[in-house]
Amino acid sequence: MRIRHVRPIVIAYSDPNDFANRRMTTLVRVETTDGVVGWGEGIAMWPEACAATATIIDALGTMLIEAGEIDVRGAWDRMRAHCWWYGEGGIACFAYSALDMALWDIEGKLQGKPLHALLSDDARASLPAYASSHVNKATIQDCVAEIVGFKEQGFRGVKLGFAKKGLSNIGREPDNDVAFIRALREAVGDGFEIIVDAGNGVKWDAATAISTVRRMAEYDIGWIEEPFYPTLIEDYRALKAAVDVPIGTGEREWTLSGYRRLIETGTVDVLGVDPSRAEGVTGFRMVDALCEANGITVNAHAWSSAILTAASLHLSLASRTARLFELKPFPVVVQSELVEEPIWHVGGDIRAPAGPGLGITVDEAVLSRLVL
């Protein structure tokens, strides 16, 4: 392929899945000399990071245009090598993750194949759909009722972000957290998986985490995600040794080498990987290979626009280790309006868009309303 034009696009939107908070991301539109268009995303989140990501995309885009005929892996190697001074990780990864995703979209279109079929000869047709939601209602009863509604929509399970912005105090006090999980399990019954995403807002030491997770385990939680700050490896080791609940982490990693170091600690059972920040589709595939070699489940992060959702879904279907896929349960413009055919589940199963590449068609009129 030969690249003719690269356009970074910073957008902002209000997200009802995040208590109507304003969220931002950086998209990229890449066009070849033959007029084939690919889309990518780098979730930089904050205004200054989105602006910086767009600046690096501009520079890397010029480099790809000047390179002439390129293939996806060659472009990835070239971008990664170029960023050596201000990588590895961080804003550089946002930028070339977005470009790599767009180039894979183009490659699929050039070959006339959906991305998952391009990546794997034995890709699965579907995965169980889980609702991915922040817990932000005022009371336990209100939170439980909301999640029961997700089950009634057909979702097979739920991943719940604790201590997020909103009205809820869940994630602030362990006894209350356990009471919530107990009430939720009673309401949804067996066969509906509950995953707890402790995340950045929860402040547990090792002893508190061990006690809390043990108590939650009585009500059958699927895994506990990000219970500590990523560098607190000894706390992860203590928790791993003390509980039978699988531990998920990795959402804040950036690079293949970072994920390799994390795997080598022996503390992780489920590895969260975001192709919009962790070296793109190419980087995700490399991390997934490490997961397969080490008996670890990969879980694709997809909590932004439909562009990322499409990429993460294709990657999950092509993976031998992914076992579920998360969707935002409440309509948001970057999911329900940004693409012509929104990605959703049918009867609790989710399939990738059927078209080539990412399989999505971006509505550029909608996009123009979101541009900053």
Side-chain angles (χ1 to χ4, degrees):
M1 69 180 77
R2 288 178 178 266
I3 305 304
R4 175 169 62 194
H5 185 254
V6 173
R7 178 192 173 202
I9 308 163
V10 178
I11 65 171
Y13 59 97
S14 174
D15 194 339
N17 295 277
D18 189 25
F19 205 65
N21 283 302
R22 183 175 184 259
R23 298 179 66 87
M24 296 181 64
T25 191
T26 303
L27 308 180
V28 65
R29 182 187 187 276
V30 178
E31 185 174 350
T32 70
T33 54
D34 295 325
V36 181
V37 173
W39 291 90
E41 179 171 1
I43 305 180
M45 191 71 72
W46 309 120
E48 70 282 5
C50 287
T53 299
T55 296
I56 296 174
I57 287 173
D58 264 331
L60 294 177
T62 298
M63 184 180 70
L64 295 180
I65 291 168
E66 293 174 349
E69 186 70 29
I70 55 171
D71 59 24
V72 179
R73 180 55 193 267
W76 187 85
D77 288 336
R78 186 184 291 260
M79 291 187 291
R80 198 172 192 265
H82 179 82
C83 296
W84 71 274
W85 183 256
Y86 51 89
E88 86 184 27
I91 289 169
C93 276
F94 291 140
Y96 69 82
S97 293
L99 285 162
D100 179 76
M101 190 182 297
L103 294 180
W104 275 108
D105 188 20
I106 290 169
E107 183 66 19
K109 290 171 179 174
L110 291 174
Q111 297 198 31
K113 291 183 177 181
L115 182 57
H116 65 280
L118 190 64
L119 299 177
S120 173
D121 291 333
D122 59 353
R124 285 170 285 182
S126 66
L127 281 169
Y130 281 42
S132 180
S133 178
H134 293 172
V135 182
N136 53 34
K137 295 293 185 182
T139 68
I140 285 179
Q141 292 77 16
D142 289 342
C143 293
V144 168
E146 183 171 77
I147 297 159
V148 168
F150 301 157
K151 182 181 179 182
E152 291 171 348
Q153 292 177 42
F155 286 105
R156 303 289 186 86
V158 66
K159 189 171 88 172
L160 301 170
F162 280 22
K164 303 295 184 180
K165 295 176 182 177
L167 302 176
S168 173
N169 65 352
I170 292 170
R172 316 293 182 189
E173 204 285 315
D175 287 344
N176 191 57
D177 299 345
V178 174
F180 166 60
I181 295 298
R182 180 176 64 247
L184 179 57
R185 176 56 68 200
E186 290 172 354
V188 298
D190 298 330
F192 185 82
E193 188 170 19
I194 301 169
I195 298 168
V196 176
D197 181 2
N200 195 50
V202 175
K203 308 299 182 185
W204 288 338
D205 57 22
T208 301
I210 290 168
S211 172
T212 305
V213 174
R214 278 178 174 167
R215 293 162 67 195
M216 288 180 176
E218 297 177 19
Y219 308 104
D220 189 24
I221 60 172
W223 71 72
I224 181 72
E225 186 164 312
E226 309 281 356
F228 308 111
Y229 193 76
T231 57
L232 299 177
I233 298 301
E234 292 308 313
D235 287 348
Y236 275 98
R237 287 197 174 106
L239 181 62
K240 176 74 172 172
V243 302
D244 292 328
V245 174
I247 297 173
T249 189
E251 186 177 309
R252 286 176 280 190
E253 285 292 345
W254 305 93
T255 63
L256 175 65
S257 55
Y259 280 105
R260 183 182 290 112
R261 289 191 293 268
L262 184 54
I263 289 170
E264 288 170 352
T265 68
T267 63
V268 60
D269 302 292
V270 181
L271 205 58
V273 187
D274 187 330
S276 72
R277 58 178 278 137
E279 304 197 276
V281 170
T282 300
F284 186 105
R285 295 179 72 205
M286 294 176 178
V287 176
D288 188 30
L290 289 178
C291 289
E292 185 175 358
N294 289 274
I296 292 170
T297 298
V298 74
N299 190 52
H301 194 255
W303 225 72
S304 187
S305 84
I307 296 171
L308 171 59
T309 295
S312 290
L313 179 54
H314 284 287
L315 284 161
S316 298
L317 292 170
S319 169
R320 292 186 177 92
T321 70
R323 68 176 184 83
L324 59 90
F325 192 79
E326 302 170 31
L327 291 172
K328 292 184 177 186
F330 299 114
V332 55
V333 62
V334 293
Q335 289 284 340
S336 58
E337 298 179 45
L338 182 62
V339 295
E340 291 184 2
E341 295 186 13
I343 299 169
W344 196 242
H345 70 93
V346 177
D349 292 324
I350 183 167
R351 295 174 176 265
L358 294 180
I360 56 172
T361 300
V362 173
D363 186 330
E364 298 197 42
V366 173
L367 179 63
S368 67
R369 303 200 321 255
L370 306 176
V371 173
L372 289 180

